Amino acid sequence: GSRERMTRIGKAVAEHAVTMWPNVSALHGALSRIRWLAGQGEKSVAANEAAIQARPGDLALRLACADALHRGGHNTKALNVLDEALRLAPESPALLTAMGVVLDELDRPLDGLRVLRRAAEVAPSRSAQPNLLSTLLRAGQPEEVLRIVNELRAEQPHEQYLIACATTAMRMLNHPEYRLWCDYERMVRTYEIPPPQGFFTTEAFNAGLAVLLRTQHKTNAHPLDQYIPNGSQTSRSLLTLDEPVIKHFLAAMDVAVRDYVGRLAENDPVGARRAKHSRYSGLWSVRLTDGGYQPNHVHDRGWISSAYCVSVMPGERPKDPRAGWLKFGEPNRPPAGCGPEKFVEPHPGLLVLFPSYMWHGTVPFEGSERLSMAFDLVPS
């Protein structure tokens, strides 16, 4: 298919570039990720490893190698690469931070925390603090998370990742304010979208939208830096497309968006940000194939986020009755006892709206295609 052809072309270009400029770590990172996509597993970093042999003191090459291995899920090998690199530069904040993340992924959060604290000591800055939060939660230290978040939010009150970490800490502490932020029954709302003007049925509209989106996934999806196993996400905002079907889509969302914003209470944390107007700050599409899923995440710069189901072609006998469903409340690296708290079954024409700080992802899909649209809304 065109994805495989593009991967082959990209691989050839990257291989040539690495030959021309063997000491540019970004090129090695790109080549490793292309090879990983082509199914080469740990061997995807072979060129990077050869470059390290030739230039053992080049820490950027070592960091690129560890990053590619980590993205591919080869964390034990990534840890070995970082170990060797830290022997050369034991005080490198970038290497220490990378090692802390990998240790956490290897289910060693206490070791990871020790290394991340060292990174924060070596280069004390506000930007080092958020790196600690996920690992602190997994290490069972939610009180410290709340303290750090309170300090950081003094300058960045609307940073959604900080709020997500704080709500997880509240959940771990059985904090009475948790449900003020994460009342899933009230704050996650679903809407059946009527056919836009000019379409007899929502099905007809979705069929046309799906044709456009599949084209975008072929030509504009760059999954190298996306953590969407067996899936792709369009790389640029679809708001830039001068396509009638996109304008129809946004117009169709309008009534539901206004209803959602209108129901927000001024004294709740989401409603407190409501302004006279709001605008779409991004529009993209995600396409999952069999076994594909979106890892749990939040939208850092959002306010209200969404998921609109365009097409679902499920398998005949799914092993998991919730295959492909949206799930809410489970962090990207969940501490013990912090699994999903709400599930929503998608079907074409269904729009789901929720606060951008809520952890959300999908249960692995079973079938040939799950095609969705998403946008963020921000006050303006």
Side-chain angles (χ1 to χ4, degrees):
S2 42
R3 172 69 52 74
E4 288 76 12
R5 190 167 63 252
M6 285 174 71
T7 301
R8 275 201 308 276
I9 294 166
K11 184 163 160 279
V13 170
E15 282 170 350
H16 179 67
V18 161
T19 310
M20 297 285 291
W21 300 284
N23 59 336
V24 178
S25 57
L27 292 174
H28 282 283
L31 176 59
S32 297
R33 295 198 292 279
I34 289 168
R35 286 177 163 174
W36 176 65
L37 273 178
Q40 293 187 19
E42 291 185 41
K43 292 178 184 167
S44 60
V45 295
N48 200 328
E49 288 173 328
I52 291 168
Q53 293 288 321
R55 299 169 56 84
D58 191 329
L59 297 179
L61 284 174
R62 292 177 184 269
L63 193 58
C65 186
D67 179 60
L69 288 165
H70 167 60
R71 287 169 189 269
H74 305 293
N75 286 311
T76 303
K77 190 166 180 176
L79 188 62
N80 293 338
V81 171
L82 291 167
D83 242 347
E84 283 181 24
L86 280 161
R87 284 194 205 115
L88 298 172
E91 302 287 83
S92 161
L95 291 172
L96 288 165
T97 300
M99 182 179 241
V101 171
V102 168
L103 284 166
D104 191 1
E105 294 271 2
L106 286 167
D107 217 16
R108 293 169 56 186
L110 291 171
D111 292 337
L113 189 55
R114 183 175 45 78
V115 177
L116 289 169
R117 285 195 197 282
R118 183 72 193 128
E121 285 166 15
V122 169
S125 70
R126 292 180 79 79
S127 62
Q129 295 296 304
N131 294 331
L132 291 166
L133 298 175
S134 176
T135 309
L136 277 167
L137 289 168
R138 302 235 309 138
Q141 299 187 32
E143 295 92 345
E144 189 173 350
V145 168
L146 288 177
R147 183 183 60 73
I148 292 172
V149 167
N150 285 338
E151 285 176 15
L152 293 174
R153 286 192 68 216
E155 282 181 25
Q156 299 171 293
H158 304 313
E159 182 70 34
Q160 302 294 289
Y161 175 70
L162 296 179
I163 298 171
C165 290
T167 60
T168 303
M170 288 178 200
R171 181 178 175 184
M172 292 169 73
L173 292 165
N174 289 317
H175 197 292
E177 269 189 39
Y178 175 60
R179 285 289 169 224
L180 179 68
W181 292 87
C182 293
D183 182 343
Y184 294 100
E185 294 314 306
R186 186 172 64 84
M187 292 173 155
V188 178
R189 302 189 70 84
T190 58
Y191 296 87
E192 299 289 343
I193 299 302
Q197 200 169 358
F199 294 87
F200 285 116
T201 65
T202 304
E203 288 77 16
F205 168 69
N206 281 335
L209 182 57
V211 169
L212 172 73
L213 295 180
R214 288 178 193 126
T215 307
Q216 291 297 309
H217 280 279
K218 280 179 185 158
T219 57
N220 283 308
H222 300 288
L224 296 183
D225 292 305
Q226 295 167 10
Y227 297 91
I228 303 182
N230 288 5
S232 63
Q233 179 174 316
T234 50
S235 58
R236 61 174 181 174
S237 175
L238 300 177
L239 291 171
T240 61
L241 283 185
D242 187 20
E243 291 279 353
V245 73
I246 296 293
K247 294 179 174 64
H248 285 308
F249 172 81
L250 294 173
M253 299 299 109
D254 217 38
V255 172
V257 164
R258 275 204 282 240
D259 177 79
Y260 186 93
V261 172
R263 289 170 183 267
L264 295 173
E266 281 181 19
N267 61 349
D268 85 20
V270 188
R273 277 186 74 188
R274 186 167 56 188
K276 197 167 184 183
H277 302 288
S278 53
R279 62 179 174 84
Y280 295 109
S281 66
L283 178 66
W284 62 97
S285 172
V286 172
R287 184 175 183 270
L288 302 178
T289 54
D290 196 42
Y293 66 94
Q294 267 194 291
N296 300 318
H297 62 288
V298 301
H299 298 184
D300 289 354
R301 299 278 180 265
W303 173 44
I304 308 296
S305 291
S306 66
Y308 176 76
C309 183
V310 181
S311 165
V312 185
M313 300 176 191
E316 279 184 27
R317 291 188 188 85
K319 294 190 200 76
D320 187 336
R322 287 178 169 153
W325 288 27
L326 268 172
K327 56 179 176 172
F328 292 91
E330 181 181 55
N332 59 340
R333 293 205 288 270
C338 289
E341 292 198 277
K342 183 177 177 64
F343 293 89
V344 176
E345 180 178 12
H347 60 260
L350 184 77
L351 172 70
V352 188
L353 295 174
F354 50 91
S356 298
Y357 59 74
M358 280 186 174
W359 289 109
H360 60 286
T362 58
V363 179
F365 178 62
E366 297 174 41
S368 56
E369 179 185 65
R370 181 190 187 280
L371 187 63
S372 62
M373 291 272 275
F375 56 80
D376 282 339
L377 197 72
V378 293
S380 62

